[in-house]
């Protein structure tokens, strides 16, 4: 899981096994941040439209999570105004970060047996991306 800023630069990255849901990785990823101050708004996809997660982020970290309301059989009870959803259209910037990370052969396919080795290469890739932007 990764968190990117408005320019698509990495703020935090973490890894976990493939069977864990993204929502369970949010707190761990924010704890592993490269910066001291996290952004006041985070944009998540439909999987992040969970009330307890949004309350926790708002109360403990002072972060507002922008996630679209679900439609269909389980609609969300939250109200979403148009201004916040306009920000949601910028979610493609984190996909740009993943595209930058895919330029490193070691990160495209995980060949490392130990997770710490892969995480080290992932953080090295993020450092190179940040240094290229200077």
């Amino acid at each position: 899981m990764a968190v990117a800023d408005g320019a698509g630069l990495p703020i935090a990255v973490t890894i976990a096994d493939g069977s864990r849901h993204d929502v369970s990785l949010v707190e761990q990823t924010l704890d592993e941040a490269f910066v001291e101050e996290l952004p006041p708004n985070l944009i998540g996809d439909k999987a992040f439209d969970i009330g307890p997660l949004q309350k926790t982020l708002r109360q403990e970290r002072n972060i507002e999570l922008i996630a679209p309301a679900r439609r269909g059989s389980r609609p969300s009870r939250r109200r979403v105004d148009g201004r916040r959803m306009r920000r949601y259209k910028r979610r493609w910037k984190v996909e740009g970060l993943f595209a930058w990370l895919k330029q490193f052969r070691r990160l495209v396919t995980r060949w490392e047996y130990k997770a710490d080795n892969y995480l080290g290469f992932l953080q090295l890739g993020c450092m190179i991306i940040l240094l290229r932007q200077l």
Side-chain angles (χ1 to χ4, degrees):
M1 173 175 251
V3 177
D5 67 356
L9 300 174
I11 293 177
V13 292
T14 188
I15 61 170
D17 55 353
S19 62
R20 293 186 62 191
H21 194 273
D22 289 343
V23 173
S24 63
L25 297 173
V26 172
E27 293 287 331
Q28 178 185 354
T29 305
L30 293 177
D31 289 339
E32 301 288 329
F34 302 138
V35 295
E36 293 180 14
E37 187 175 329
L38 293 169
N41 294 317
L42 288 180
I43 299 173
D45 60 1
K46 291 181 183 180
F48 292 90
D49 187 25
I50 295 174
L53 172 66
Q54 294 187 9
K55 287 180 186 176
T56 302
L57 289 176
R58 188 177 305 121
Q59 292 172 356
E60 294 178 6
R61 297 183 184 262
N62 198 22
I63 295 175
E64 182 180 8
L65 180 64
I66 301 170
R70 286 190 179 133
R71 309 263 189 258
S73 62
R74 293 179 29 206
S76 177
R77 293 187 177 140
R78 290 185 310 109
R79 301 280 181 195
V80 179
D81 63 346
R83 292 173 296 181
R84 292 177 58 214
M85 289 310 289
R86 277 187 241 134
R87 289 186 201 142
Y88 181 71
K89 292 180 183 178
R90 295 185 224 145
R91 69 189 182 276
W92 61 270
K93 292 184 180 184
V94 74
E95 299 301 329
L97 169 63
F98 289 124
W100 282 342
L101 288 171
K102 295 286 183 178
Q103 292 177 354
F104 303 106
R105 273 191 318 185
R106 254 345 240 268
L107 299 177
V108 174
T109 304
R110 181 176 168 178
W111 296 105
E112 284 76 24
Y113 181 72
K114 296 190 179 205
D116 290 336
N117 293 343
Y118 184 74
L119 181 61
F121 282 117
L122 182 62
Q123 291 172 342
L124 180 64
C126 290
M127 285 187 257
I128 292 171
I129 289 169
L130 288 171
L131 287 173
R132 285 180 183 169
Q133 298 300 318
L134 290 178

